[in-house]
Amino acid sequence: NGQYQPTHEVNEGQWYRFRMVFAAVERGARLEIDGTNGAQCEMQLMAKDGVYLHEMPRKIESAAFFSGARADIAIRCTCGSGSGKCAAMIRSNGKHARAVVATETATMTEAYSGDLVELMITRTGRIDADLPRVQVKRPCYLADLRSATVDSSNEHDLNVQPGMLWDGQAQEGFNFQHNPRTPPMADLPVGQVHEW
């Protein structure tokens, strides 16, 4: 929560849920975990942007973030042989993180590279069971439409007007404002699937 490179104490073999948000404006990040002194950590993705995966958790090696992205990730670390604490670092590998602004004059936005959170792992000799794999039941307003047939008349394009910048200002310096007299782009009847 706003701390710069904090250190968190965790117990070996215990699952911890990290609810993360990448509160950047024009950067991307790819989170990875590197262990020291024999530490090994695994990550299990549970949710993206507050919505649980259809089947969760999903084992991942890294987690990609763009501006404003959120993720719920379960992390479990173990220490190798030996005594005392071991450590792991959650970091962003900049060369693997890319975010592109999709305009004709776009340039590659800078990807964050550096350490984020250090995990100090206390040896316990105990390992929690693997997380159970579950299928999430979704409410009706989060129906799975990936295999739905979409009528060609319900396929729409959503385009930003030329000359608009990401910060909501026109190139001429005028603020973008909605014109209530502008007709709607489409009528969306209830009970039909529309694709944008």
Side-chain angles (χ1 to χ4, degrees), residues 143-179:
D144 185 354
L145 300 176
R146 291 176 293 181
S147 60
T149 302
V150 180
D151 187 272
S152 60
S153 63
N154 290 347
E155 295 176 358
H156 311 282
D157 288 327
L158 183 62
N159 297 312
V160 176
Q161 297 177 0
M164 295 304 296
L165 301 179
W166 287 102
D167 65 359
Q169 293 187 345
Q171 288 180 349
E172 296 80 20
F174 297 102
N175 288 335
F176 175 77
Q177 295 180 353
H178 172 68
N179 183 347

Side-chain angles (χ1 to χ4, degrees), residues 37-130:
N37 297 335
Q40 292 186 343
C41 299
E42 61 179 301
M43 296 191 293
Q44 298 277 349
L45 180 64
M46 301 174 70
K48 290 288 286 180
D49 293 325
V51 179
Y52 286 111
L53 303 181
H54 182 63
E55 289 185 341
M56 68 161 199
R58 179 190 309 150
K59 186 173 183 178
I60 57 174
E61 300 298 322
S62 63
F65 286 83
F66 54 87
S67 298
R70 294 174 290 152
D72 289 33
I73 299 173
I75 298 176
R76 175 176 66 178
C77 298
T78 57
C79 295
S81 60
S83 60
K85 294 184 178 183
C86 61
M89 183 65 74
I90 301 176
R91 60 173 43 108
S92 176
N93 187 335
K95 69 179 182 178
H96 293 145
R98 289 181 170 79
V100 179
V101 178
T103 65
E104 293 178 8
T105 60
T107 58
M108 187 73 69
T109 52
E110 186 178 347
Y112 178 75
S113 184
D115 296 341
L116 298 170
V117 179
E118 182 180 33
L119 302 176
M120 292 301 297
I121 306 158
T122 300
R123 295 175 194 270
T124 62
R126 192 186 117 220
I127 306 295
D128 283 354
D130 290 342

